[in-house]
Amino acid sequence: MRHIPLAIPNVGQPEARNLQACIDENFVSSVGRFVTELEDGCAELSGCASGVATGAGTQALHMALRAMDVGSGDLVICPDFTFIASAASIRHAGALPWLFDINADDWTIDPDQIERALSEETVLKDGSCVHKSTGARVAAIMPVYTLGTPANMLAIKEIAERWNLRVVADAAAAIGVTLNNEPIGSWADLTCFSFNGNKTITCGGGGMIVGNDVDLLQRARHLTTTARSTPNYDHDEIGYNYRMTNLEAAVGCAQLNRLPEFLDIKRRIRSYYKSELSHISSISMFPEPVNRTSTCWFSGFVFDSPKTDVNAFCHALKEDGIEARPFWKPVHFQKPYQDCPVEPTPISDRLWSRIVTLPCSTSISDEDLDYVAKAVKKQLRGLGA
Ligand SMILES: *Cc1c(COP(=O)(O)O)cnc(C)c1O
């Protein structure tokens, strides 16, 4: 029977050649030319001075926060509608996420709500933004580039400057996109990517921090490499072993070369589904805000009615050999995050349970895409659409 997975890696000869080179050269661990090449390549693509590779995207976010001295007792503004790793990285750093709603038209954090909440609930004291009711310092904003689309960074950057906040962008699946025709790296103090298996490009697993503040990046690098201060096993703080291996970077370098091809395919998948499904009255396609390019990390649609059972719908597609899935469940529903301050989240509350993601691997054939579109239309007709 046919099986069309949701999003699988696309690796082949270029990755194999680089892996063979690691073995031939006997550089398989956390030092090697591919690590440096991947750091430089990601930095350049993002319009940044340099990059620091990590073992995962979650580690990149954690180290970016720690490099900025975000820690115990701090609050970090982040969207309620995100993958759990954004919130987890804030907790790993010792801080607490302060959860905000998203915009309906781009699914990224709502700057107007941030502005309102900061005006009403915080004061600037000695250059620090202090949350009045808890006394906690508000240290940073972590916008998330949902589906590989940048947040409204013009507004966020301005807010961050006014309240003296750092900005760490969770750009996990957004490598290679632009905002107002500029590469994304300059919009945040530090920008983090993930190279997990289902992301736009993969290393198997891995992450990257890019930015223009070389001191911050140097500090992040120091923390990821056990915080060793001399060759003689002196360590000046509690560090981490969060380095990417040369084997992972070897795969990543080959993938980075193929990024333009992958982005092209991801965008064609998005527009194919749009051309096939957007006329159906009971659903809406994923948002495509202007002035921002997107990796189109996932493609799919949203049911207009909150009464539709997305799980049942996906299960029905599974019978046809198609892997379709719901998307993120907001952070404020998650048991370990019940103590986080949260602003009203009407948009994320109304949105999350209506989303369906459809197969969008870059290796998908035209025939399979057509098969998925037809099966989706058949199921929607069954629901009376
Ligand atoms: C994948 C992802 C992460 C975490 O990356 P890992 O490499 O899996 O640790 C963080 N944030 C978002 C939005 C993601 O999609």
Side-chain angles (χ1 to χ4, degrees):
M1 191 181 108
R2 211 187 277 252
H3 171 66
I4 308 177
L6 182 65
I8 53 169
N10 182 345
V11 291
Q13 284 312 310
E15 290 77 13
R17 274 194 298 275
N18 281 3
L19 284 170
Q20 186 65 49
C22 292
I23 291 164
D24 293 344
E25 295 163 19
N26 199 24
F27 273 98
V28 295
S29 195
S30 58
V31 176
R33 64 183 170 100
F34 288 117
V35 177
T36 313
E37 187 182 320
L38 188 64
E39 289 176 336
D40 293 347
C42 290
E44 192 188 330
L45 183 66
S46 314
C48 287
S50 62
V52 175
T54 60
T58 311
Q59 295 173 2
L61 291 167
H62 177 197
M63 291 298 95
L65 291 167
R66 285 295 316 276
M68 296 170 170
D69 288 320
V70 175
S72 184
D74 291 337
L75 290 176
V76 176
I77 291 171
C78 103
D80 179 47
F81 182 66
T82 184
F83 181 55
I84 202 65
S86 322
S89 69
I90 295 168
R91 295 300 276 129
H92 292 161
L96 211 55
W98 180 6
L99 302 169
F100 282 73
D101 206 5
I102 51 168
N103 298 304
D105 58 2
D106 65 5
W107 299 3
T108 69
I109 197 164
D110 175 3
D112 292 337
Q113 192 184 41
I114 301 178
E115 172 85 44
R116 258 196 321 276
L118 287 172
S119 302
E120 289 166 13
E121 302 180 41
T122 72
V123 285
L124 266 179
K125 242 190 234 157
D126 304 324
S128 272
C129 179
V130 178
H131 190 240
K132 286 191 279 195
S133 62
T134 58
R137 176 177 75 132
V138 184
I141 307 177
M142 183 183 283
V144 177
Y145 298 172
T146 313
L147 297 172
T149 305
N152 180 352
M153 296 307 290
L154 288 78
I156 289 168
K157 205 173 167 187
E158 193 192 299
I159 291 169
E161 276 162 17
R162 205 134 29 85
W163 269 275
N164 204 11
L165 305 174
R166 293 291 205 169
V167 181
V168 176
D170 181 346
I175 189 158
V177 304
T178 58
L179 173 58
N180 280 0
N181 288 319
E182 282 179 51
I184 48 168
S186 52
W187 295 101
D189 293 303
L190 294 173
T191 299
C192 300
F193 303 120
S194 163
F195 305 122
N196 192 27
N198 72 1
K199 297 289 154 61
T200 314
I201 58 171
T202 186
C203 293
M208 181 73 67
I209 311 170
V210 296
N212 282 313
D213 185 330
V214 287
D215 292 337
L216 276 184
L217 287 159
Q218 185 45 46
R219 180 150 155 70
R221 185 180 298 282
H222 184 63
L223 284 167
T224 60
T225 49
T226 73
R228 193 167 73 174
S229 52
T230 76
N232 303 332
Y233 294 96
D234 293 303
H235 303 265
D236 57 7
E237 59 188 308
I238 300 171
Y240 300 81
N241 179 10
Y242 276 1
R243 287 296 281 163
M244 180 185 280
T245 67
N246 202 45
L247 289 171
E248 289 162 333
V251 174
C253 287
Q255 292 266 295
L256 192 61
N257 282 332
R258 300 171 68 191
L259 180 64
E261 171 204 341
F262 288 172
L263 290 180
D264 189 53
I265 297 169
K266 283 283 191 190
R267 288 165 186 160
R268 277 200 284 128
I269 292 170
R270 175 75 67 88
S271 46
Y272 183 76
Y273 284 136
K274 189 173 165 187
S275 69
E276 290 292 310
L277 305 173
S278 64
H279 64 280
I280 299 170
S281 62
S282 60
I283 62 168
S284 306
M285 306 313 288
F286 288 178
E288 292 180 351
V290 294
N291 295 335
R292 307 176 219 178
T293 60
S294 176
T295 58
C296 300
W297 176 35
F298 277 114
S299 288
F301 63 87
V302 184
F303 281 107
D304 292 337
S305 165
K307 294 199 183 74
T308 321
D309 184 342
V310 164
N311 283 306
F313 185 85
C314 292
H315 191 80
L317 285 176
K318 195 156 206 135
E319 309 272 282
D320 288 331
I322 296 167
E323 190 188 2
R325 293 251 290 263
F327 201 45
W328 301 329
K329 186 185 252 185
V331 178
H332 82 268
F333 289 115
Q334 313 287 350
K335 203 165 138 217
Y337 296 89
Q338 293 303 308
D339 54 347
C340 298
V342 52
E343 295 301 308
T345 55
I347 294 174
S348 116
D349 286 346
R350 264 200 313 271
L351 174 69
W352 72 272
S353 62
R354 297 183 288 122
I355 299 173
V356 176
T357 55
L358 295 173
C360 55
S361 307
T362 52
S363 53
I364 196 168
S365 67
D366 289 350
E367 191 202 337
D368 279 354
L369 264 184
D370 183 57
Y371 176 85
V372 173
K374 286 205 169 75
V376 168
K377 283 189 269 195
K378 186 183 81 185
Q379 290 301 333
L380 286 171
R381 273 198 301 276
L383 292 173

